[in-house]
Amino acid sequence: MSQLRYRPGRALALVAALLVAVTSFSVLTATARTQRLDVVGKVAANDRGAYDLLVRPAGARSALESRANLVSSTALAGLSGGITSRQWRQVLDIPGVDVAAPVAVVGYTLQTVQLPVDLTDHLKPGNGPQLFRVSTTRTSERGLTEIPTGESYVYVTDRPLHDRKNRSEGDPVGQSAPDGSVVQICGMSDSPNPVDPETNRYARPVATLACGSTNQDNTYNAAGAASPAARPMNRGTPAAGTTLVPWSMPFLVQAVDPVQEARLAGLDRAVDEGRYFAPGQKPVTGRQKGSAEPFTKIPVLLAGRTAIEEQLHLEVSELPAADAARVAAGQNTETLGSALPRAAGTPVSRATFAAQDAHRRLIDSLGSASTGAAGGASADTQIWQYLSALPVRYTDGGDRLAAGPVPASPIPDTSIHFGAGLLSDTGDMGDTAVRPLTRHPVQEIADVSPPAPQLQVLGEFDPERLTAAATGLGAVPMETYFPAAASGADDASRKALGNRPLLPNGNIAGLLSVPPSMITTLSSLNVLNSSRHFQNTTPAQGVNAKAPISVVRVRLKGALGTDALSRERLRLVAEQIHRRTGLDVDVTMGSSPSPVTVTDPAGRYGRPVLHLAEMWSLKGVATVAVAAIDRKALLLFFLILGVCVLFVAGATSAAVRTRRAELAVLACTGWPARRLFALVLTEVGALGALAGLAGAALAVPAGALAGVPVSPGRALLAVPAALGLAVLAALRPGVQAARSHPGSAVAPAVRGPRRAARLSGITRLALTNLARVPGRALLGTAALAGGVAALVALAGISTAFDGEVAGSLLGDAVSVQVRSSDYAAAAVAAVLGAATVADVLYLNVRERAAEYALLRATGWSDAALNRLVLTEAALMAGAASLLGAGAALGADAAFTGRLPMPLVLIAAGTAAAATVVTVLAAAVPAFLLRRIPAARLLAEE
């Protein structure tokens, strides 16, 4: 008690050291615990997507997927079956399976919407005939692809147009001439003009022409703003001064089981117009009213929005009067098709249609036509053909994939089937292809097969309202209703895309596929996969009628987590599925989207080569993240404990060394070794208990300041922790005190030289001084080496953790989430290490104060003394920094089996910074030493 009372400086320093160590330990361990709870909570919120297991046909898993533990998120649109209905039922009957939802990818059907163009505002009645050219261009892929998609023409006259009942398409229309005669206009030539099946184009160009009259005596056009008194003899003709621009949009058709899909993804709850499938919904067959012709209607749900990112730009120009006179003179559309494209026009207006607007018009039109509502005749609900796509053919380049271009498939026939004319634009379908396509046209053998199936539109659904839309960071592969997207993987690609993601366009043979926008039932496959209805229905041609199901998504019963029991449940069910069916099974629970670099070849319409990051699914991210955070928490615990023990041990050792002479005097008076040992332990233990009480009081507010809740119970643990830490740190100094020899009271603190040596400079003198006080030098070196090793080890732990969990959306989120505690631990380790070094350096300079005074008395300048002190500090710091950094790197290499270059650079930087900080810290006691008179120091010696 007397020592504590009469030597308060060193006692307070030791209490402060213990207080800092205990408070830091309490807060940082609470931070690590909170961090683990946060990570586990984030993982638990995202580890279970819409389903837990993905069942695919045998052999569907690619080499890259097997090697990198990935599942492609873009392959579903290219899968063409491989799972039978019997195998699906076997999966559904396995114990523990709650939902087994099959998906059968049918293919793409091209549906065409007619976009209205009204030129009424540009008409000039009484000025003779007018002719307008409507040029269309499609832009997509963030403006990189720009495709001219054709021209059409609008002819308007003030002379009457006369129609005849049941006129055939392509027949001319009669126009009254001033002399009373009738001129046949707007008709096709009678000479043969064959269509090239590879390009779906006429051998000779044909002008698409919409004719109209503003005259009241008009029996051709529908009534409109320019001709309100028109009385059309046939339905379907446009109003004067208007035309329709076609836009063919791909719909990916997929078949599902209504009950299982509703339970898995909530498709029934996402229907916001119309109604959902009945549990046993099947195609409807019958005969047309008043006719013996049979029909088949397939029930479908349509997506209320499209994932296509595309725009259609229209530019309208008025052509010279001479070109309008060509039409008025009766030139046919083939002759006009050669002359009009070269005519110079005067721009009069521009307009842009977005894909979403066109899609909205299209599904409204399809729904109206399907139900027979008024205005429904503008859409064709019959499926005259569909196309199936094979998966993208990748070249595996190790760190990236390359989508290889394939020969372009013949452009599908979109002629009379969609009311767009034989020059119907196919737009994106002519761009670079990376997926082989197969066309499945309807069987057209007269009197043998029923006509093309019709769409029975039950309603529309909103993909954003589906259950799977909320899976977030734990999104599972092959989500059924969400678009594939890719972002730039390098600076050039990101710049080309304007730092925006690449989304699908209308090129179904391109890299990114559209999500399904037309959902039907599995029972409809009897029609869509039937050779009675469609051609090319063999497995080699993309249609597997006997095994039509592409994937089965399985969800297990009950709650699942990342614990060992949940993992074992998943493994057992996956094994049973594989054993019973022979199908490939991927455990997708705990998956998270992970970028895979894919090279997309250049397009034919301006898009450059792009290096894209596609979000495939990395399996097992959740389990890896939880296991990694557990290991990291354990390593941080021991690291923080080690730094604190090192700090307190240094402070305690320094406190005992300052009392070397006093302990020797007690030994002279007869104190036995055990009492000297007990004296040191009792003093340090009392200070530890005092520091523990103060630490318990400070832990709660310090935790609140750091944003980490520290419970009172955890705060009270600071008392035994501080006491134990103090006693542990005092063991070695206590043993040294017990061994105190009476001669130590008068013996110098330094070891004498074995032989005399001539010292030629300050560096040599600094080395000699360090060798004369090996205990002190080793203490300082060990303290600093421990601090450097702690910092480098902390960096290694963080690097290893990031390397384990980073690379997926969930892993990146977890990695970012835990970095705040890493920074806090690094700051504490740095502060404690610097404090330890400063304490050792102060003791070093203070014990040798008389030597420095003697040197000053013999003529050494202050600058020379400062250089000597700083050189000794630099030599000790350099050795300690290299030793600590090397030890940490060696431990990291032994633990992880590798030595990443970033960690080596961090170690080098930490060692350099520690050396600089140590030298600066040594300047403080050197400055304080100069303030003590040399005479006093020599007198004390």
Side-chain angles (χ1 to χ4, degrees):
M1 293 300 297
S2 297
Q3 290 291 340
L4 297 178
R5 177 181 177 185
Y6 292 106
R7 289 292 183 91
R10 178 50 63 177
L12 289 176
L14 188 54
V15 169
L18 287 165
L19 181 62
V20 171
V22 171
T23 305
S24 301
F25 185 75
S26 299
V27 173
L28 286 176
T29 52
T31 301
R33 181 176 180 273
T34 303
Q35 175 191 111
R36 184 189 184 280
L37 292 176
D38 290 343
V39 168
V40 172
K42 181 177 284 293
V43 169
N46 293 278
D47 66 344
R48 198 172 188 185
Y51 54 91
D52 306 318
L53 302 173
L54 181 67
V55 183
R56 291 191 279 175
R61 191 181 297 123
S62 68
L64 175 64
E65 289 176 315
S66 299
R67 184 175 71 248
N69 207 30
L70 293 166
V71 178
S72 171
S73 59
T74 61
L76 183 58
L79 295 179
S80 55
I83 302 176
T84 65
S85 296
R86 179 175 178 272
Q87 288 173 317
W88 163 50
R89 294 291 179 185
Q90 287 177 323
V91 172
L92 192 58
D93 292 339
I94 289 178
V97 171
D98 183 33
V99 179
V103 171
V105 180
V106 177
Y108 298 89
T109 176
L110 297 176
Q111 299 290 336
T112 300
V113 61
Q114 305 289 348
L115 303 175
V117 179
D118 190 348
L119 304 179
T120 304
D121 293 341
H122 304 292
L123 300 182
K124 303 170 184 176
N127 289 354
Q130 290 178 269
L131 183 63
F132 299 90
R133 179 169 55 214
V134 181
S135 302
T136 59
T137 303
R138 286 200 211 174
T139 60
S140 61
E141 298 181 310
R142 303 305 184 184
L144 298 177
T145 295
E146 186 172 327
I147 306 176
T149 49
E151 298 175 342
S152 60
Y153 300 88
V154 180
Y155 170 77
V156 182
T157 180
D158 53 6
R159 306 300 300 170
L161 290 183
H162 304 289
D163 205 358
R164 62 181 183 274
K165 202 68 174 175
N166 299 323
R167 178 181 53 85
S168 299
E169 184 177 356
D171 288 346
V173 179
Q175 173 181 279
S176 296
D179 60 1
S181 62
V182 176
V183 179
Q184 300 297 315
I185 67 171
C186 305
M188 297 184 64
S189 172
D190 292 332
S191 60
N193 191 5
V195 176
D196 184 349
E198 291 296 317
T199 63
N200 197 35
R201 295 291 190 266
Y202 284 113
R204 298 187 299 276
V206 177
T208 303
L209 192 62
C211 296
S213 171
T214 59
N215 195 286
Q216 292 187 1
D217 187 14
N218 180 0
T219 62
Y220 171 68
N221 297 111
S227 56
R231 301 176 304 279
M233 298 187 67
N234 294 292
R235 296 182 59 185
T237 56
T242 65
T243 187
L244 296 174
V245 175
W247 188 347
S248 296
M249 306 188 75
F251 278 60
L252 179 58
V253 184
Q254 286 188 181
V256 301
D257 177 77
V259 175
Q260 296 296 308
E261 199 66 25
R263 294 187 61 197
L264 181 74
L267 182 59
D268 55 338
R269 297 187 298 275
V271 175
D272 48 18
E273 294 286 345
R275 64 179 179 85
Y276 187 61
F277 301 115
Q281 189 89 45
K282 295 180 179 180
V284 177
T285 59
R287 296 188 179 277
Q288 304 288 350
K289 289 184 179 180
S291 170
E293 184 179 6
F295 68 84
T296 301
K297 291 186 177 181
I298 296 174
V300 296
L301 292 173
L302 302 178
R305 63 186 67 194
T306 181
I308 293 176
E309 182 270 315
E310 194 161 21
Q311 301 80 36
L312 180 65
H313 303 278
L314 282 71
E315 180 175 341
V316 181
S317 303
E318 185 174 0
L319 300 186
D323 293 302
R326 290 175 179 270
V327 181
Q331 292 186 4
N332 60 55
T333 54
E334 291 183 23
T335 304
L336 295 172
S338 300
L340 295 183
R342 298 192 299 270
T346 302
V348 295
S349 66
R350 288 182 172 84
T352 298
F353 291 94
Q356 184 57 47
D357 298 332
H359 180 80
R360 182 73 263 167
R361 289 175 179 268
L362 179 56
I363 62 173
D364 287 344
S365 181
L366 287 172
S368 299
S370 173
T371 58
S378 60
D380 191 337
T381 60
Q382 287 186 290
I383 304 177
W384 295 95
Q385 65 174 348
Y386 66 90
L387 298 100
S388 57
L390 295 178
V392 179
R393 298 177 180 178
Y394 292 110
T395 300
D396 193 345
D399 61 338
R400 66 180 55 190
L401 302 175
V406 298
S409 301
I411 298 176
D413 179 13
T414 58
S415 56
I416 60 172
H417 304 152
F418 300 111
L422 280 172
L423 287 181
S424 170
D425 165 57
T426 53
D428 309 280
M429 294 291 293
D431 206 349
T432 302
V434 294
R435 299 174 187 266
L437 299 178
T438 301
R439 178 171 169 248
H440 308 280
V442 72
Q443 294 284 8
E444 296 178 349
I445 304 175
D447 302 326
V448 174
S449 63
Q454 301 176 32
L455 299 178
Q456 181 189 9
V457 180
L458 302 182
E460 63 181 76
F461 66 93
D462 183 358
E464 296 298 327
R465 292 176 55 191
L466 293 166
T467 305
T471 54
L473 303 177
V476 284
M478 296 187 183
E479 289 285 22
T480 310
Y481 306 97
F482 304 104
S487 56
D490 59 9
D491 292 338
S493 300
R494 284 189 288 269
K495 182 178 180 181
L497 293 170
N499 291 316
R500 294 172 295 175
L502 180 69
L503 296 175
N505 63 2
N507 183 15
I508 60 178
L511 180 66
L512 301 183
S513 59
V514 295
S517 43
M518 188 178 291
I519 307 298
T520 186
T521 62
L522 289 180
S523 58
S524 299
L525 297 177
N526 294 330
V527 176
L528 296 171
N529 289 347
S530 171
S531 60
R532 295 182 63 252
H533 290 272
F534 293 96
Q535 303 174 35
N536 305 326
T537 54
T538 66
Q541 294 168 313
V543 176
N544 194 335
K546 293 183 178 180
I549 298 174
S550 303
V551 296
V552 178
R553 297 153 298 153
V554 177
R555 188 174 66 203
L556 272 60
K557 296 178 181 178
L560 289 175
T562 57
D563 56 284
L565 179 59
S566 296
R567 294 197 300 271
E568 183 65 12
R569 284 180 58 198
L570 285 166
R571 186 188 66 81
L572 289 176
V573 174
E575 281 188 357
Q576 289 186 62
I577 293 175
H578 178 70
R579 186 170 59 250
R580 291 191 186 185
T581 65
L583 302 172
D584 288 347
V585 184
D586 292 295
V587 177
T588 56
M589 181 185 168
S591 299
S592 182
S594 178
V596 173
T597 302
V598 176
T599 300
D600 193 12
R604 296 191 178 99
Y605 299 98
R607 187 194 69 235
V609 174
L610 294 176
H611 300 293
L612 303 170
E614 284 188 358
M615 299 308 291
W616 292 24
S617 289
L618 181 62
K619 295 184 291 185
V621 172
T623 302
V624 170
V626 172
I629 194 63
D630 286 341
R631 287 194 299 271
K632 182 177 181 182
L634 184 63
L635 291 172
L636 281 176
F637 174 83
F638 285 109
L639 177 63
I640 297 168
L641 180 63
V643 172
C644 291
V645 168
L646 184 64
F647 176 48
V648 175
T652 307
S653 179
V656 173
R657 287 185 64 83
T658 58
R659 299 173 53 199
R660 183 175 57 87
E662 297 176 10
L663 294 174
V665 169
L666 291 176
C668 289
T669 60
W671 279 49
R674 65 179 183 277
R675 296 195 66 187
L676 293 175
F677 180 77
L679 173 64
V680 173
L681 252 64
T682 303
E683 291 181 17
V684 176
L687 295 176
L690 181 62
L693 292 173
L698 288 176
V700 174
L705 187 63
V708 179
V710 179
S711 63
R714 180 175 291 275
L716 288 175
L717 290 177
V719 179
L723 181 60
L725 189 63
V727 172
L728 181 65
L731 288 178
R732 185 175 181 279
V735 172
Q736 290 177 331
R739 294 176 178 175
S740 295
H741 190 275
S744 301
V746 294
V750 298
R751 186 177 64 184
R754 295 180 179 178
R755 58 185 179 86
R758 182 179 297 276
L759 303 179
S760 57
I762 289 181
T763 302
R764 181 68 181 275
L765 178 59
L767 286 171
T768 302
N769 285 338
L770 291 175
R772 293 172 62 215
V773 283
R776 208 163 37 232
L778 289 176
L779 177 63
T781 301
L784 185 57
V788 171
L791 288 173
V792 176
L794 181 61
I797 292 172
S798 299
T799 301
F801 178 77
D802 289 345
E804 282 188 272
V805 303
S808 65
L809 293 185
L810 178 58
D812 290 344
V814 167
S815 179
V816 171
Q817 185 175 359
V818 303
R819 286 174 187 165
S820 58
S821 64
D822 290 349
Y823 297 148
V828 169
V831 169
L832 295 181
T836 304
V837 172
D839 193 27
V840 171
L841 287 173
Y842 176 78
L843 178 62
N844 192 18
V845 173
R846 186 65 184 86
E847 283 192 348
R848 297 176 54 201
E851 293 183 13
Y852 296 131
L854 179 60
L855 291 175
R856 187 191 305 168
T858 57
W860 279 53
S861 64
D862 288 342
L865 286 174
N866 286 338
R867 288 202 306 273
L868 176 61
V869 173
L870 296 180
T871 301
E872 290 183 23
L875 291 172
M876 185 172 62
S881 298
L882 291 176
L883 179 63
L889 289 176
D892 185 80
F895 184 73
T896 63
R898 59 190 182 88
L899 196 61
M901 183 54 63
L903 183 59
V904 175
L905 297 177
I906 291 174
T910 302
T915 302
V916 173
V917 170
T918 301
V919 172
L920 293 177
V924 177
F927 174 77
L928 296 176
L929 182 64
R930 285 180 1 202
R931 302 181 61 182
I932 304 176
R936 174 184 163 187
L937 293 173
L938 292 174
E940 290 179 354
E941 182 67 12

